[in-house]
Amino acid sequence: MQSVDRAVSVLEILARLGEAGVTEIADELEVHKSTAFRLLGVLENRGLVSQAQDRGKYFLGAGVLRLAGAAAVRLDISQEGVPVCRELADELGETVNIAVLDDNAAVNIMQARGSASVTAQNWLGRRTPLHATSSGKVLLAHLPMTLREGLLARALPRFTEHTVTSAGMLRAELDATCAQGFAIAAEELELGLHAVAAPVRAHDGRVIGALSVSGPAYRLERDRLPELAARTVVAANELSRRMGYGF
């Protein structure tokens, strides 16, 4: 824990000073120069700090920007998604979520509940499997092919009798998701639960999230899912526009 604390302190020092040498950092941390050098080496290997070759001083690296950018995207999409999700939830009366990719899962970062979903479970902050949820399928479908195939090569756990556990069948479904612009999950994660989702794009066209509508199967009947999916696509496109896509 002490090493983690010191590493974070190094980043804070460089953020405050702009750049600093090993001796300055060691003095700030009140540690030996060799300890400061080891900490900087680890951070440099992870791209979190860089060294100016001509002066030997260290400064924050591009890795920090990558992490900050990921956090900013989550913050922006959840903020911009509030009015879109609330309007859709009010219109349909069901639960609306925004999910983003988190390693090998989808995590729900924003939720709005409609009038019919008062007693529905809370999905906010919950990590859900990519292959068994509509949001997860959208996120998985739009991954670079090498990453998508890497995830498909893993075991696909079965949650219900309807869960797709065949990589070949799931691959075909993901291709269809890209072609039609939405994904459907009918009782694949939980019996009695249906959901549809559509992609949310950033200004450069990257899929950065999935907007979904979910509810009990007796309300979201199978023959209604394409209609709900079409409305979800419209809302996801509006959120994409808010994120700068299409300008």
Side-chain angles (χ1 to χ4, degrees), residues 133-185:
T133 60
S134 59
S135 292
K137 290 178 187 179
V138 166
L139 297 170
L140 185 56
H142 291 89
L143 281 176
M145 194 58 66
T146 53
L147 293 179
R148 185 215 274 195
E149 288 302 314
L151 290 171
L152 289 178
R154 303 179 182 182
L156 301 174
R158 180 179 297 281
F159 298 96
T160 75
E161 61 192 80
H162 304 288
T163 307
V164 178
T165 58
S166 162
M169 292 179 61
L170 183 58
R171 187 178 291 110
E173 192 171 342
L174 296 177
D175 290 341
T177 294
C178 291
Q180 66 194 11
F182 62 85
I184 290 175

Side-chain angles (χ1 to χ4, degrees), residues 196-216:
V196 297
V200 178
R201 299 180 182 274
H203 66 92
D204 57 2
R206 289 180 300 112
V207 172
I208 56 173
L211 188 150
S212 69
V213 176
S214 61

Side-chain angles (χ1 to χ4, degrees), residues 70-143:
V73 164
R74 287 195 181 197
L75 181 62
D76 289 346
I77 194 173
S78 60
Q79 288 180 340
E80 294 295 337
V82 169
V84 176
C85 290
R86 284 180 177 166
E87 180 180 350
L88 187 60
D90 289 344
E91 176 186 337
L92 301 178
E94 303 296 347
T95 300
V96 178
N97 281 284
I98 296 174
V100 297
L101 188 67
D102 186 16
D103 192 18
N104 61 346
V107 61
N108 293 288
I109 62 171
M110 192 273 162
Q111 178 173 278
R113 294 185 181 183
S115 57
S117 61
V118 176
T119 60
Q121 67 185 98
N122 184 10
W123 294 93
L124 194 60
R126 180 173 170 183
R127 286 167 56 86
T128 56
L130 297 177
H131 70 290
T133 60
S134 59
S135 292
K137 290 178 187 179
V138 166
L139 297 170
L140 185 56
H142 291 89
L143 281 176

Side-chain angles (χ1 to χ4, degrees), residues 193-246:
L193 177 68
H194 286 177
V196 297
V200 178
R201 299 180 182 274
H203 66 92
D204 57 2
R206 289 180 300 112
V207 172
I208 56 173
L211 188 150
S212 69
V213 176
S214 61
Y218 68 83
R219 283 203 306 263
L220 303 188
E221 298 174 340
R222 285 180 180 268
D223 58 0
R224 281 193 65 206
L225 295 182
E227 170 197 340
L228 292 170
R231 182 62 188 88
T232 303
V233 168
V234 172
N237 288 344
E238 169 59 19
L239 180 51
S240 297
R241 187 193 67 77
R242 287 172 170 265
M243 297 299 294
Y245 181 63

